[in-house]
Amino acid sequence: MMLYPGNLEEKLGFDALRKLLEDQCLSDLGKAKVTQVQFQTDFSLVNKLTKQTAELAELIQVRGRFPSNDYIDVSAYLDSAAIEGAALEPREFFEIKLSLTAIVSCLRAIDSEKGAYPELAAMASGVDVSKELIANLAKCIDEKGEVSDQASSELIEIRTKLNRARNHLRKVVNKAFAAAQSAGYSPEGASITVRQGRLVIPIVADQKRKIEGFIQDYSSSGQTVYLEPEEALESNNEIRIIENEERREIYRILLGLTDAVCLELDSLRNAYEFLAEIDLLQAKVKLANLIGGVLPTVKNRRTFVIKDAKHPLLQLSFRESGREVVPLNMDLDSEERLLVISGPNAGGKSIALKTLGLLQYMFQCGMLIPISPDSEMGFFSNLFVDIGDQQSLENDLSTYSSHLANMRFFLDNANEETLILIDEFGTGTEPRFGAAMAESILEAITDTKCLGVITTHYTNLKEVAESHSGIRNGAMLFDTKKLAPLYQLEIGKPGSSFALEVAQQIGIPEKVVSRAKEKLGDKLVNLDVLLGRLEQEKIEIEAKSSELNLKQKEVAELSMKYNQLHEELSSKRKDLIASAKFEAEQIIASTNREIEKTIRHIKENRAEKKETQKVRKRLGAMKENLGKPVKKKAPVVNKKKIGGKIAVGDLVEVNGNMQGEVLELKGTSAEVMVGSLKTTVAVNKLVRLAKSTGPGRSSKGSKKNFDLNQQAAGFSPQLDVRGKRPEEAWGEVEKFLDRAMLVGYSPVKILHGRGSGALKQHIRNQLKTFDYVEKYWDEEQIHGGDGITIVSMK
């Protein structure tokens, strides 16, 4: 492995990133691990490290949390325990107890997922914490960090005896103090206190001989003496003896605990190594959440395809000012090994170069990187960079000389396993000589088979990239109308420096710019103008293409809505025709029956005048009803056929095409209300339908079935929509929010992951349209960051 130059991390900005990583650690254990993070050339190790970080990130997202308390470095205590005859202090044991509990919590969190995270499981597999030791520590050390009464039966007995002696002593001293107060020997407002470890009473100095006892101390003014009453002497002495017994017993207990720790030293050191690695991993996860880091596809070959990459430090800086970093897309492989990027000053060439270098370095340090998940990261054994001013006063090297020294190192050491990054290739000397030397070095670099990215303003290098196999041109785009850089890299064509255009915009006199054009010559000026026009035309074409795609999408949506509406209208038209036809048939049948009945009635009553008038009146009423418009009911909704015995009140299908309600059963026939008509139909031509339980018709017991408490008990406050399309995911989110409002739960969490950010953006855009959403925000970094949206309901 070769990294060049020695301050490569500083050149790429990894030193600042290392500091950020250290800030995310929970303990000195993790911070010590951060200093050990380095560029790895073992592919299997890099693969393992990146997967460990990705697995912990996913575990935290799924669980919502991960143990993060009491990551304590107790290595000094373990070293002390290894010394023969040493006894650790209660406070040291307390910290060991807390940190061992943290280790066990981490192991349980990993084990709870039952093999879902194989790399984390492999980390945890070799960790063995003695349950007996933890139980012993819990028994002997209380939550205040002191030796517990339960540490031994002897200690219980000693402390019981000590408490009795202290109580007796206090009674004796209280009695003596009360007598002194009554006699006026004690200062006003004074109270019993302790001096030299003995309980004493304050006495006015002039009255000290009035009470038998032993002076243990004086006040600073000399006005008060602290006297141990004579009757308390024996009790105080007894307490001293018992306290010595207590100290000896505590020392014996601590010595035993220290011996127990010493027996487990190897397994304990291994456990704390695990805790240090977990601290480093969770720091990597928190940093990944800050910068949007993910695990791309990993390839064990010299290649890369980066999509939507962002410089992590630039991203954090821009976020503070509310700006967005323009994502970078770039790819190289064994066929297209070198990329020559050209374009305007301050157009993003150097940032593109440093973004690639920093992400490759981060990746081979086992970190997640801000890139699209479907990107591919390759693997390199060597990383050489030539970035910035490398003038050396110590070695008497100018800027150009130092660049040439770097190029000599590159040519001597680069091979097919090397990634090289060269910024402003060939600058620092007379342009014509610098361009010629740069062209020659570029051709020599091509022969080394290394992969690399080079930035330049030299036209001859752009021409070399066009004419040589294995080299490609790339351009940083520039808006020639606004005269502003777009910070977008386009691979496949060279870029223009736009020096003359920028000079005009800044206000350089026109005649000066014109003279510059004359000095350059028509050929070079025309080439630069042509490149600029091509670039602007491409930007305009892409804008029009984007607009056309948007309109095509709108047309497709309108077409789909038209087809749906047409289908609905056609279906309703068929239903209306069928309904009208059926009602007409029923009217005719009913009218014929009434006429036949009338004729029969007239015949039976021999056309008596009174009966004839009744019949005429009934026919007249029927005629009036037929003349009135029929009231339309709401369109009939198809119901599920359930069959079974027909009963009054049932919803039924009549003749296979109409629906009605059974009003009355008459043997083998039934009177059915269809629309606004009553009709008599044979029972065997009716099919029983399921009744609606909607707002218009509630089935019995439906209210009982809807138990709000049951809904609340089964409600989960987190919804996982990762991997779903935005429209599909939003359908689930909408139902989820409705249920949250129904059971009164707020806030709730929506787990959408990061990815390209499209799913998250779609969900948040929709949330803005919901009246009952009060606000939403990102989850905390340790628990998932912007991969989870928390929603508060009104």
Side-chain angles (χ1 to χ4, degrees), residues 148-280:
S148 168
D149 292 350
Q150 307 302 318
S152 73
S153 57
E154 290 85 354
L155 188 60
I156 294 176
E157 183 180 344
I158 291 170
R159 285 182 172 172
T160 301
K161 186 167 58 174
L162 184 60
N163 287 335
R164 281 200 301 265
R166 284 172 176 166
N167 289 335
H168 175 70
L169 173 63
R170 184 161 288 278
K171 289 178 182 178
V172 171
V173 174
N174 281 340
K175 184 177 178 181
F177 184 56
Q181 281 184 315
S182 298
Y185 301 156
S186 184
E188 187 177 350
S191 60
I192 297 171
T193 186
V194 176
R195 289 292 187 273
Q196 311 300 326
R198 305 175 81 88
L199 212 56
V200 295
I201 60 176
I203 300 295
V204 176
D206 295 343
Q207 306 295 330
K208 62 185 177 182
R209 299 190 184 279
K210 300 288 181 69
I211 297 178
E212 296 293 331
F214 306 92
I215 297 174
Q216 297 293 344
D217 200 1
Y218 290 87
S219 67
S220 57
S221 64
Q223 299 290 322
T224 303
V225 298
Y226 295 98
L227 187 110
E228 179 183 6
E230 183 179 33
E231 56 268 40
L233 178 63
E234 185 176 345
S235 295
N236 263 324
N237 288 338
E238 182 185 0
I239 288 171
R240 284 291 184 91
I241 293 170
I242 298 173
E243 284 176 344
N244 284 332
E245 289 180 21
E246 181 189 30
R247 279 192 289 273
R248 286 195 297 271
E249 179 59 19
I250 288 174
Y251 178 76
R252 187 188 68 80
I253 292 167
L254 295 177
L255 196 60
L257 280 178
T258 305
D259 289 342
V261 167
C262 193
L263 290 173
E264 299 288 339
L265 271 182
D266 289 341
S267 62
L268 287 175
R269 292 189 194 280
N270 187 48
Y272 282 102
E273 177 68 16
F274 166 77
L275 187 62
E277 290 175 356
I278 287 292
D279 193 8
L280 174 61

Side-chain angles (χ1 to χ4, degrees), residues 575-593 622 626 630 632 655 657-658 674-679:
D575 288 345
L576 287 172
I577 292 172
S579 176
K581 183 179 178 182
F582 181 80
E583 288 186 8
E585 289 174 352
Q586 297 303 313
I587 290 170
I588 292 170
S590 178
T591 304
N592 287 336
R593 284 195 299 273
M622 185 176 179
L626 289 173
V630 178
K632 298 288 184 180
N655 292 332
N657 62 354
M658 298 300 295
V674 180
S676 60
L677 294 175
K678 293 180 183 177
T679 182

Side-chain angles (χ1 to χ4, degrees), residues 131-145:
K131 295 179 181 178
E132 183 181 351
L133 176 60
I134 292 178
N136 205 6
L137 288 170
K139 174 188 173 185
C140 296
I141 306 296
D142 63 20
E143 293 308 311
K144 295 179 181 179

